[in-house]
Amino acid sequence: MSIRRLHTLKKIFIFAFSIIYLLSISLGFSYALNKPNTLVVHYFRYDGNYNNYNMWVWQNLPVGLDGIQHNFDPLSVDQYGVSYSIDIETDYADSQRLGIIIKQGGWDGYREPGGDRFIDLDQLEVTNGVAHVYFVQGQIDFGKSQADLENNIPDYRPSILFTAFNAQSEITLSLSHPATSYKVFENSVEIKTGTFSNANLSQKITSLNIDITKKYEVEVSFGASSSKKIVSLQNLYDTEVFEDAFTYEGELGVIYAKNASTFRLWAPVSESVVLNTYQQGHPNYDRLGNESLEDTPLMSYPMTQIENGVWEVTVDGDLASKYYTFSVTNNGVTQEVTDPYSYSTGANGLRSMVVDFEQTNPSNWNFEERPATIKTFTDYIIWELHVRDLTSHSSWNGSAAYRGKFLGIAETGTTYTQNGVTVTTGLDHIEELGVNAVHLLPIFDFGYIDEVEVFKNPNQTNNVFNWGYMPYHYNTLEGSYATNPFDGNVRIYEFKKTVQAFHSKNIRVIMDVVYNHTGESEGSNFHKIVPGYYHRLNAQGGFSNGSGTGNETASERSMVRKLFVDSTIFLAKEYKLSGFRFDLMSLHDIETMNTIREEMNKIDPTIILYGEPWAGGDTLIKGEDAAGMTNTNEWDRTQIRKLDSGVAAFNDLYRNALKGQPDGSEGGFVQGNMNVSKYNDLKAGIKGATDQFTNSPLQNIVYGEAHDNLTLHDKLRSSGVTANEVQHAQVQSNAVVLTSMGIPFLHAGTEFLRSKPKQDGTYEHNSYESPDSVNQLRWDRKITYLNAFEYHKALIHLRKSISAFRLDTIEAINNRFTFIETTQSQTFKALAYHIEGTENEPSVLVMHVGKLSGITGLVLNDGKTYNQVTSRAGTQGLFDTQSGLVTRSGTFQVATSNTSAIFVEVMDAIEASVKEAFIEVAKDAQFDPLSNMNLPVGAKVYATPIQTNLPGFKVVTVSVIDYLGNTTYYYYNIRVSGQSFQTVLGGL
């Protein structure tokens, strides 16, 4: 090619580029070349009512961040409805993708369908730095350009807003405009036509003979245009006909055996279901997290509908550790979904896994048992913990690879040293504290954490923390807590190791379960499999939002109830869990909760169940059926009395009386901000809440703080308690909790004044997705508040040692528990109560003196002498559970504020002794280890059992416990006589 020709082509290219550039400047728009500076969001409603409508917008990519509410102006309306201009540069400067929810009012109000929808900023039409998106009432698709509008995306024409069968199998329609005629289709075949007799926007089509296993559509003519929609079955799910036809009582999910596995999915309205198997749990990564593409199934197997809406297929061979999905076809649309019963998954829950549970068991797992520390539910002392919080701070000093993992909270031998003082951290700290149960915030597979990213970049700090209340798979453990999320076996093995570690410390494990909603709405596998069945839907077909997260599940339906009951049975048995905490329990029905209680009793009657007796917003559950207070029963908390006495509820009346509302500056008893209502609520809660809403103290969860809202320390500081006084008030709050009739519940770190400070000097009240730097337990605070920690240890020791604090029946409370007037009773700033002892148990007097000046006194003329074991907390260290501080009788006084004084009846000293240091016992003889002891009548004693079937020397250990719970150990030796070995000489 000649040089001259090259110059000519270059000139042509430059000229053409210049023309394109000038055109782009003159027209002022571009696609995907630059991000807009301003995003205008348009929202159209057919009824023209925009009052209180707003949108919640947040950055989704490159990392998820918290959102901002933007309110539409109802008076500024054009042909596209209301609009709002978002300043991208100011509010979302680094965003690549925005999430959006359009709603009315708060989180419990109406939401547009589509759940979390996303706007990719590089896919918008940008004109002079401005982009527009267009939303229409009831439509999931939204417009991003002028071309979309020209193609009716979204569609502003007259529309069917919603259509569904009613309980009488009639089609009901909600229309945007008056319509003239209709057509009904069954599996795309026209079966009925007609005209409307009036111009109403609500219409009904009658005289239909329907088959709910078929797809029905209705097409309505508006004259110049028409609208066609699938008829929803949502109102038929609660009919007796549907329940009778499609309630299945057999096993669902995958039923594994080494020679073959059977897969079952309940999908009663589906046209077809196909099983897909995979080698990998993630389409882009193998089991070790190495990049490996597998975007098509190894095999696909058509499934057969057997009975009651269940589809089944059996696949020969050992499928252990293979992954699978279902392709489910509903209304002509096929979607690939995971198994609602998934027992494990690959990373991010994209594919279910076949599990051979025997291969996931650590050594001796089959012999593992729940610690024998609980006889009645009031024996529990619960400590609420998030998995990451225990180990994420540098002061934990455990294995770096286990930070934020199951194995981290299982690790022992960790300590922290500062200024010559060394304290235990992690699991050893929990053991030292003395609680006997740890409640773990959600450990099932939840959304909003990218397990792949956490694995690939373990040191990142953004988007690695979430409380976990957005469930995806109820029976699957969270992958981000495992050292390898790509192999679904790893999380199971590591969690079982964790349960073993806690059990070895005599600590039970309780799981926080969130059955009341699903992490997604339209996008959830439940909704894709049986549209509208698993959730409560409103009359317009939208998701009822009693959870405040976008939807609520319908536990009253037989197959939803079955899922929840089956799930708790599986989790309790497979992981040997000791209890379940039910999030927003009021969204569940009473029958479901009582059924779960019945099933737990069959496994182990000491498995504890408790939950929140409220909802997160307005719900559609029938008020009389709700397991707690809801808008539908006028917030009647006495619904708890309809539950089995083995289902407990958080006592928020008690909590608010103790410290004031969870957030804000209002105070309660410990701040000296009391009135007669709070005083009565606090007294009722201390006495078991039977005068409030429970049947017995077994249903009364007493607490001062939980993971929600401000920590107790931060609440106290926010309500006027000074830095010098805060540990006194903190310890007193928990002293009230630990001496109340019910089940005490403590928030992790409360024993060293846990705090969640923000950079602006205020405190975080909702740290559900705040970074580790906010949520982590700081072990340096244990050293700072070591006296407070020791005081909490003493209080826990007293509760465990003295049965008077653990009365479990209303009869026992009425017979033994009495409030006593103090000199400050009329001010509502002090209260006292006496619990009568038994023949072998001491009586107890408790005086809680809140924030006040002067001496608080009372008179108790019962002829007994009491040992004061606690006084004002703080740097003075005024507690002694070994020998007590001082003895009192008749008149009792407390001279300081924020003081909980516990007085324990002095009982005779236990003078025990060993009769003989060495004794001999015949082989196979009956032998009582206590027969060689001199013991006072009524002493609490325990001895090691001795087996006499084997000859040899043995050591007997006898423990004797005094009235303050202190233990003295005695030892002696025995020899079991008989041949201990035999020598046989052979030969000629």
Side-chain angles (χ1 to χ4, degrees):
M1 183 181 292
S2 68
I3 297 298
R4 182 175 181 178
R5 182 166 176 76
L6 280 171
H7 280 295
T8 302
L9 288 173
K10 184 176 180 181
K11 289 179 180 178
I12 293 172
F13 174 78
I14 293 173
F15 175 76
F17 180 81
S18 300
I19 293 297
I20 294 171
Y21 176 76
L22 290 171
L23 282 172
S24 68
I25 293 296
S26 63
L27 293 175
F29 72 85
S30 62
Y31 270 107
L33 295 178
N34 61 292
K35 189 174 71 175
N37 300 318
T38 301
L39 177 64
V40 183
V41 180
H42 302 265
Y43 173 52
F44 177 84
R45 292 188 57 79
Y46 290 104
D47 59 8
N49 176 19
Y50 298 100
N51 289 328
N52 207 24
Y53 277 89
N54 59 76
M55 57 182 172
W56 182 260
V57 181
W58 69 98
Q59 176 179 298
N60 176 253
L61 292 177
V63 295
L65 298 177
D66 202 3
I68 302 172
Q69 179 170 301
H70 303 285
N71 300 316
F72 291 112
D73 181 358
L75 302 179
S76 179
V77 182
D78 61 17
Q79 61 178 324
Y80 299 119
V82 290
S83 63
Y84 187 97
S85 295
I86 297 175
D87 187 336
I88 299 292
E89 293 300 311
T90 299
D91 294 334
Y92 309 96
D94 299 321
S95 297
Q96 299 168 3
R97 174 197 275 182
L98 297 178
I100 184 170
I101 296 172
I102 297 177
K103 58 189 179 72
Q104 185 178 33
W107 288 109
D108 57 346
Y110 169 80
R111 294 191 193 189
E112 281 293 333
D116 297 351
R117 290 185 278 186
F118 300 98
I119 304 168
D120 290 301
L121 297 181
D122 63 353
Q123 300 298 312
L124 302 178
E125 181 179 270
V126 182
T127 304
N128 294 325
V130 179
H132 296 256
V133 288
Y134 303 86
F135 295 85
V136 168
Q137 173 190 355
Q139 297 182 28
I140 295 176
D141 293 334
F142 60 94
K144 306 172 186 176
S145 65
Q146 192 62 36
D148 282 348
L149 294 178
E150 292 170 359
N151 287 287
N152 295 312
I153 304 174
D155 197 340
Y156 289 87
R157 295 173 297 180
S159 173
I160 301 172
L161 298 179
F162 181 67
T163 179
F165 289 108
N166 61 20
Q168 291 73 44
S169 299
E170 302 166 329
I171 295 176
T172 62
L173 298 115
S174 176
L175 308 173
S176 66
H177 296 76
T180 56
S181 61
Y182 65 84
K183 298 177 182 178
V184 179
F185 300 86
E186 180 185 81
N187 284 351
S188 302
V189 176
E190 183 181 302
I191 61 170
K192 186 177 179 65
T193 62
T195 58
F196 295 116
S197 60
N198 55 55
N200 295 339
L201 299 182
S202 296
Q203 297 288 351
K204 186 183 294 183
I205 301 173
T206 61
S207 302
L208 296 167
N209 184 22
I210 69 167
D211 178 349
I212 58 177
T213 64
K214 297 180 179 180
K215 178 180 73 172
Y216 291 88
E217 297 170 287
V218 60
E219 183 176 3
V220 170
S221 174
F222 293 98
S225 65
S226 64
S227 177
K228 190 175 185 180
K229 276 198 173 181
I230 296 171
V231 184
S232 170
L233 300 175
Q234 69 176 66
N235 298 319
L236 299 180
Y237 293 145
D238 295 317
T239 62
E240 187 175 344
V241 172
F242 187 91
E243 288 282 286
D244 289 345
F246 298 115
T247 296
Y248 181 72
E249 296 181 353
E251 191 172 355
L252 291 171
V254 59
I255 305 164
Y256 168 78
K258 288 191 178 296
N259 62 327
S261 293
T262 297
F263 298 80
R264 291 185 190 145
L265 179 71
W266 186 73
V269 300
S270 296
E271 298 147 40
S272 69
V273 180
V274 174
L275 169 72
N276 309 301
T277 60
Y278 295 90
Q279 187 67 32
Q280 297 177 182
H282 192 286
N284 299 321
Y285 299 94
D286 67 15
R287 294 175 185 275
L288 297 178
N290 301 312
E291 291 190 11
S292 173
L293 181 64
E294 186 192 35
D295 54 4
T296 56
L298 289 173
M299 295 290 293
S300 292
Y301 305 88
M303 300 178 72
T304 302
Q305 196 165 29
I306 52 171
E307 58 183 296
N308 304 118
V310 173
W311 298 76
E312 180 184 88
V313 67
T314 297
V315 180
D316 291 335
D318 190 347
L319 299 185
S321 300
K322 291 292 190 292
Y323 294 88
Y324 68 98
T325 61
F326 299 112
S327 292
V328 178
T329 302
N330 290 320
N331 299 321
V333 178
T334 301
Q335 299 186 84
E336 191 172 8
V337 299
T338 52
D339 187 350
Y341 275 75
S342 298
Y343 296 122
S344 196
T345 66
N348 289 333
L350 300 181
R351 293 169 181 170
S352 307
M353 194 184 88
V354 181
V355 182
D356 178 359
F357 281 102
E358 282 298 316
Q359 299 304 311
T360 68
N361 292 341
S363 299
N364 300 315
W365 178 256
N366 289 330
F367 302 102
E368 191 69 30
E369 295 183 354
R370 297 172 186 87
T373 54
I374 305 296
K375 294 181 179 179
T376 184
F377 295 131
T378 53
D379 290 340
Y380 274 99
I381 303 174
I382 300 170
W383 199 72
E384 183 196 39
L385 174 69
H386 186 281
V387 170
R388 288 190 66 89
D389 293 353
L390 194 74
T391 63
S392 58
H393 192 258
S394 60
S395 58
W396 169 57
N397 282 334
S399 303
Y402 296 162
R403 288 190 186 278
K405 308 297 183 186
F406 288 133
L407 291 182
I409 64 174
E411 187 168 340
T412 61
T414 59
T415 60
Y416 174 70
T417 300
Q418 185 181 82
N419 298 326
V421 178
T422 298
V423 295
T424 59
T425 67
L427 178 56
D428 289 345
H429 164 86
I430 305 173
E431 179 188 29
E432 182 187 6
L433 179 62
V435 296
N436 56 24
V438 166
H439 158 161
L440 294 176
L441 265 66
I443 55 172
F444 51 72
D445 179 43
F446 55 79
Y448 296 92
I449 295 296
D450 186 344
E451 296 171 5
V452 174
E453 187 65 22
V454 171
F455 178 81
K456 294 290 185 182
N457 299 291
N459 295 321
Q460 69 170 333
T461 57
N462 291 324
N463 201 32
V464 297
F465 184 94
N466 197 283
W467 279 345
Y469 288 92
M470 298 299 276
Y472 277 62
H473 298 98
Y474 295 123
N475 295 335
T476 295
L477 297 168
E478 168 61 18
S480 68
Y481 296 152
T483 57
N484 175 7
F486 300 97
D487 184 342
N489 294 297
V490 174
R491 63 190 73 181
I492 299 173
Y493 171 80
E494 291 179 350
F495 181 63
K496 287 180 176 178
K497 288 283 288 183
T498 300
V499 172
Q500 277 188 321
F502 276 85
H503 284 183
S504 72
K505 306 287 189 181
N506 275 333
I507 300 169
R508 291 184 166 213
V509 179
I510 297 168
M511 181 177 179
D512 198 323
V513 289
V514 188
Y515 296 122
N516 67 81
H517 69 277
T518 58
E520 295 186 43
S521 299
E522 287 91 346
S524 75
N525 56 340
F526 300 98
H527 190 69
K528 291 175 181 177
I529 295 167
V530 193
Y533 180 82
Y534 286 93
H535 302 92
R536 298 185 186 110
L537 303 182
N538 59 33
Q540 294 75 42
F543 288 83
S544 181
N545 188 22
S547 70
T549 64
N551 63 74
E552 62 184 82
T553 53
S555 64
E556 66 277 8
R557 292 176 178 154
S558 62
M559 295 305 290
V560 183
R561 177 179 295 134
K562 174 178 170 59
L563 171 66
F564 298 165
V565 173
D566 288 350
S567 177
T568 52
I569 292 172
F570 162 73
L571 293 167
K573 286 184 173 180
E574 187 60 40
Y575 297 113
K576 308 194 180 187
L577 298 175
S578 295
F580 299 95
R581 176 266 194 190
F582 291 82
D583 185 64
L584 302 180
M585 187 172 67
S586 290
L587 295 178
H588 298 319
D589 66 291
I590 290 167
E591 183 179 345
T592 294
M593 293 305 304
N594 285 343
T595 301
I596 292 173
R597 178 69 267 169
E598 291 170 7
E599 294 300 321
M600 293 303 104
N601 287 344
K602 296 174 185 177
I603 301 168
D604 182 342
T606 67
I607 292 174
I608 191 170
L609 305 178
Y610 58 98
E612 295 176 308
W614 52 76
D618 286 352
T619 172
L620 293 178
I621 191 172
K622 292 181 180 178
E624 63 270 24
D625 295 337
M629 50 185 174
T630 65
N631 58 297
T632 53
N633 59 32
E634 297 182 345
W635 308 103
D636 180 8
R637 70 182 67 241
T638 63
Q639 286 288 112
I640 298 301
R641 290 180 176 147
K642 296 180 181 179
L643 292 167
D644 184 285
S645 61
V647 181
F650 285 94
N651 191 336
D652 56 318
L653 296 175
Y654 171 97
R655 175 201 65 193
N656 296 347
L658 182 62
K659 66 168 186 180
Q661 290 288 333
D663 295 327
S665 60
E666 180 202 356
F669 179 78
V670 293
Q671 299 99 325
N673 183 7
M674 289 297 282
N675 55 39
V676 64
S677 177
K678 289 181 183 178
Y679 193 65
N680 289 335
D681 281 341
L682 184 59
K683 290 176 64 178
I686 287 173
K687 198 178 176 181
T690 55
D691 293 337
Q692 291 175 317
F693 60 88
T694 70
N695 295 309
S696 81
L698 298 176
Q699 292 186 295
N700 186 32
I701 299 288
V702 286
Y703 73 118
E705 64 176 324
H707 68 275
D708 284 315
N709 309 109
L710 293 171
T711 69
L712 179 56
H713 166 275
D714 296 349
K715 166 63 184 179
L716 295 173
R717 295 289 285 121
S718 300
S719 54
V721 179
T722 66
N724 290 333
E725 290 294 312
V726 67
Q727 68 174 316
H728 304 303
Q730 179 105 2
V731 171
Q732 179 171 57
S733 297
N734 291 322
V736 176
V737 168
L738 288 163
T739 56
S740 292
M741 303 299 104
I743 302 163
F745 178 98
L746 304 172
H747 184 43
T750 190
E751 63 276 11
F752 49 76
L753 284 68
R754 182 181 188 174
S755 180
K756 297 180 181 180
K758 296 196 294 186
Q759 290 184 347
D760 63 2
T762 61
Y763 299 104
E764 180 58 72
H765 73 283
N766 186 20
S767 64
Y768 74 101
E769 61 176 3
S770 298
D772 287 331
S773 58
V774 172
N775 285 291
Q776 60 200 357
L777 290 172
R778 296 181 56 108
W779 299 103
D780 54 338
R781 289 182 73 87
K782 182 177 179 181
I783 291 179
T784 302
Y785 297 105
L786 188 57
N787 189 75
F789 167 74
E790 295 291 344
Y791 206 115
H792 280 85
K793 274 177 57 179
L795 291 168
I796 290 169
H797 168 81
L798 288 171
R799 183 175 181 92
K800 291 166 71 174
S801 302
I802 300 174
S803 64
F805 292 130
R806 309 193 308 275
L807 303 183
D808 61 355
T809 67
I810 190 170
E811 293 79 14
I813 290 175
N814 287 339
N815 289 333
R816 298 176 58 188
F817 185 104
T818 307
F819 281 109
I820 300 176
E821 289 291 308
T822 75
T823 56
Q824 296 284 352
S825 293
Q826 298 306 310
T827 69
F828 311 127
K829 294 184 178 181
L831 56 83
Y833 44 95
H834 179 263
I835 308 170
E836 186 67 28
T838 63
E839 180 181 357
N840 301 319
E841 292 280 349
S843 296
V844 177
L845 172 66
V846 179
M847 295 179 66
H848 294 302
V849 178
K851 186 178 181 181
L852 51 76
S853 299
I855 295 175
T856 302
L858 64 81
V859 175
L860 177 63
N861 291 318
D862 63 352
K864 296 177 180 178
T865 300
Y866 290 80
N867 201 338
Q868 183 174 352
V869 293
T870 70
S871 185
R872 180 171 164 88
T875 55
Q876 299 94 327
L878 291 180
F879 63 92
D880 186 341
T881 60
Q882 295 296 314
S883 57
L885 299 168
V886 66
T887 57
R888 292 281 186 265
S889 61
T891 301
F892 299 81
Q893 292 184 334
V894 173
T896 51
S897 67
N898 287 127
T899 301
S900 288
I902 301 173
F903 301 86
V904 181
E905 178 191 357
V906 176
M907 302 188 77
D908 292 336
I910 297 176
E911 299 293 342
S913 62
V914 176
K915 294 178 181 177
E916 301 288 341
F918 177 83
I919 61 173
E920 189 162 329
V921 178
K923 182 177 180 292
D924 295 323
Q926 294 292 325
F927 176 69
D928 178 5
L930 298 180
S931 64
N932 191 41
M933 295 291 300
N934 294 308
L935 295 170
V937 177
K940 290 183 183 178
V941 292
Y942 302 93
T944 54
I946 297 298
Q947 303 294 329
T948 62
N949 58 327
L950 293 175
F953 291 92
K954 305 174 189 296
V955 177
V956 177
T957 302
V958 178
S959 56
V960 181
I961 303 172
D962 70 12
Y963 72 99
L964 290 176
N966 302 305
T967 303
T968 303
Y969 295 97
Y970 300 86
Y971 308 93
Y972 64 90
N973 298 302
I974 71 168
R975 176 179 178 269
V976 178
S977 60
Q979 285 186 314
S980 57
F981 59 87
Q982 184 177 37
T983 302
V984 178
L985 299 176
L988 296 176

